[in-house]
Amino acid sequence: MLINVAKTEDILKQYRNTPIESLLNYHNLGQEFKEYNKAELLIAMCMDYRLHLHLPENFAYIIRTGGANLKHNDFNLAYSIAVGGIKHIALIGHNDCAMSHIASQKDVFVDGLVKNGGWNRDKANDYFKRSLADYDIGDEADFIIKQADLLRENYPAISIAPMIYLLEDKKLYLIEEKQLGIKGW
């Protein structure tokens, strides 16, 4: 399901000669940086501290949110397209994401809000229950593909590249897509 980009020829044809190709060349292949005066790409990726991209300054807008979930970032996304002139988006999930199957972390989450946030247990439990459906992404690659499909539906003129960052080698991999038939946030 993942496409290893170990050389430029591994990049899918629809991303060649685009900022998506540049992203993969910079990060995976160590291409020398060019200078940029304005962003050419929007990168949506997880806020996880273990992820670091090798990019030149001014190359990309970056939205970092748990699980690379753009559900509550629609205005930021639209702004980067409407005002920033962005025509390409890289959606980057990663393996071992804490937003994947977060239901299993309920007790840790509630205990942490009580201990670290000063919340009472009932408030923390209610908050977790209300938030679970919006923030549990399930399988990382499937979520990124679903999100790419939704973005393509909402922004048909924008090139969307779903990717996974593997923590083991710190490289970006293109996701081989399949239609999942799931629409909406």
Side-chain angles (χ1 to χ4, degrees):
M1 191 168 179
L2 298 181
I3 300 168
N4 182 16
V5 178
K7 55 189 182 305
T8 301
E9 295 77 28
D10 296 332
I11 298 171
L12 298 175
K13 288 181 182 176
Q14 67 260 35
Y15 304 131
R16 302 248 176 103
N17 301 310
T18 72
I20 294 165
E21 178 182 39
S22 297
L23 166 65
L24 292 163
N25 281 329
Y26 289 138
H27 183 79
N28 281 16
L29 306 178
Q31 178 180 319
E32 187 175 323
F33 290 168
K34 293 184 347 188
E35 287 191 28
Y36 294 89
N37 294 321
K38 69 181 244 31
E40 294 191 0
L41 177 68
L42 171 69
I43 297 171
M45 63 187 290
C46 189
M47 61 189 246
D48 191 307
Y49 63 91
R50 298 172 292 176
L51 281 62
H52 175 75
L53 297 177
H54 188 65
L55 301 174
E57 289 185 28
N58 305 322
F59 172 66
Y61 293 109
I62 301 176
I63 297 174
R64 291 186 71 137
T65 181
N69 186 343
L70 292 174
K71 183 172 186 178
H72 299 290
N73 287 279
D74 50 337
F75 186 83
N76 297 328
L77 174 68
Y79 189 89
S80 72
I81 293 167
V83 177
I86 292 300
K87 297 187 183 318
H88 306 277
I89 298 173
L91 291 175
I92 305 172
H94 69 95
N95 63 320
D96 192 34
C97 184
M99 294 292 107
S100 179
H101 312 293
I102 59 176
S104 65
Q105 300 175 25
K106 178 182 181 266
D107 293 338
V108 173
F109 183 91
V110 170
D111 291 344
L113 280 180
V114 170
K115 179 182 175 187
N116 301 325
W119 290 33
N120 73 49
R121 188 161 298 283
D122 288 338
K123 180 180 175 182
N125 267 309
D126 289 344
Y127 181 72
F128 186 86
K129 287 177 189 174
R130 282 194 324 271
S131 302
L132 185 61
D134 282 345
Y135 294 97
D136 189 334
I137 66 168
D139 179 79
E140 299 94 343
D142 286 345
F143 178 77
I144 293 296
I145 292 170
K146 289 177 220 175
Q147 194 162 231
D149 286 346
L150 179 63
L151 289 174
R152 288 178 182 131
E153 184 177 303
N154 291 332
Y155 300 98
I158 304 299
S159 173
I160 315 287
M163 301 180 193
I164 291 289
Y165 180 107
L166 288 184
L167 294 169
E168 295 80 7
D169 64 7
K170 301 180 182 345
K171 298 290 184 189
L172 294 171
Y173 292 77
L174 292 166
I175 300 174
E176 186 177 322
E177 296 185 68
K178 61 182 191 256
Q179 291 297 82
L180 297 175
I182 299 172
K183 302 290 182 200
W185 289 107

